[in-house]
């Protein structure tokens, strides 16, 4: 059997994306690479800095403003995300990293519970694999 490769940490754990993720639920201003400005409340941020906003407004350079109930921003189109003045970046990063570690621990516990449940039912790894192929 080939040696296992260590699992890669997700981007949020090894970059400042965790700072943007810590802003979930807060209103922010984002400047895009096309010089437009987006204002809205962050609903979610993934590991590629794709952001889902609610109650968003989109303003062009000419000043045209459009309101949206929901908006999805592709991470690569974002130039800046303005941080609220009330935010302590170091504290936000630390809190988000702790949350990520706790989430990962919970995922591992769930995976172990599922494996234990399968073993208790008498489903071995080869039988489980065969049933997955048949689906």
């Amino acid at each position: 059997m080939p040696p296992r490769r260590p699992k890669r940490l997700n981007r949020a754990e090894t970059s400042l994306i965790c700072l943007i993720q810590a802003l979930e639920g807060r209103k922010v201003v984002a400047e895009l690479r096309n010089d437009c400005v987006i204002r809205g409340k962050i609903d979610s941020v993934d590991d590629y800095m794709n952001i889902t906003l609610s109650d968003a407004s989109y303003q062009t350079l000419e000043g045209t403003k459009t309101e949206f109930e929901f908006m999805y921003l592709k991470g690569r189109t974002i130039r800046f995300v303005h941080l609220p003045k009330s935010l302590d970046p170091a504290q936000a990063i630390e809190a988000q990293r702790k949350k990520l570690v706790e989430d990962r621990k919970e995922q591992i516990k769930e995976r172990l519970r599922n494996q234990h449940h399968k073993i208790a039912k008498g489903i071995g790894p080869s039988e489980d694999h065969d049933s997955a192929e048949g689906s």
Side-chain angles (χ1 to χ4, degrees):
M1 182 189 309
R4 281 187 165 191
R5 289 186 349 186
K7 289 196 175 198
R8 290 175 55 194
L9 296 174
N10 66 24
R11 289 176 187 228
E13 291 180 67
T14 59
S15 71
L16 288 176
I17 290 175
C18 63
L19 178 58
I20 307 301
Q21 289 175 336
L23 296 173
E24 287 180 6
R26 295 183 113 165
K27 287 195 169 261
V28 296
V29 176
E31 290 183 36
L32 304 182
R33 290 172 58 187
N34 65 358
D35 294 324
C36 292
V37 176
I38 307 287
R39 288 176 174 79
K41 186 178 93 171
I42 294 181
D43 292 330
S44 66
V45 180
D46 69 11
D47 289 347
Y48 296 95
M49 208 170 80
N50 299 319
I51 301 175
T52 305
L53 299 162
S54 58
D55 302 322
S57 66
Y58 177 88
Q59 186 172 353
T60 64
L61 269 175
E62 295 80 31
T64 307
K65 196 172 184 180
T66 310
E67 302 287 329
F68 295 94
E69 187 175 343
F70 295 101
M71 182 178 280
Y72 177 81
L73 297 178
K74 193 105 170 121
R76 68 180 193 194
T77 65
I78 299 169
R79 181 180 292 149
F80 300 112
V81 175
H82 295 264
L83 302 176
K85 289 182 182 179
S86 63
L87 181 77
D88 177 7
Q91 185 179 12
I93 290 169
E94 189 59 34
Q96 185 64 25
R97 284 192 158 169
K98 283 181 183 177
K99 181 178 178 265
L100 290 169
V101 168
E102 289 301 317
D103 289 349
R104 190 162 15 112
K105 283 181 184 178
E106 192 57 41
Q107 289 172 352
I108 290 168
K109 286 179 186 177
E110 184 65 29
R111 196 174 324 131
L112 290 174
R113 279 193 290 266
N114 288 340
Q115 287 175 354
H116 178 50
H117 183 67
K118 288 178 184 178
I119 290 169
K121 282 185 153 186
I123 301 173
S126 62
E127 295 163 359
D128 189 36
H129 179 69
D130 292 340
S131 66
E133 286 179 353
S135 309

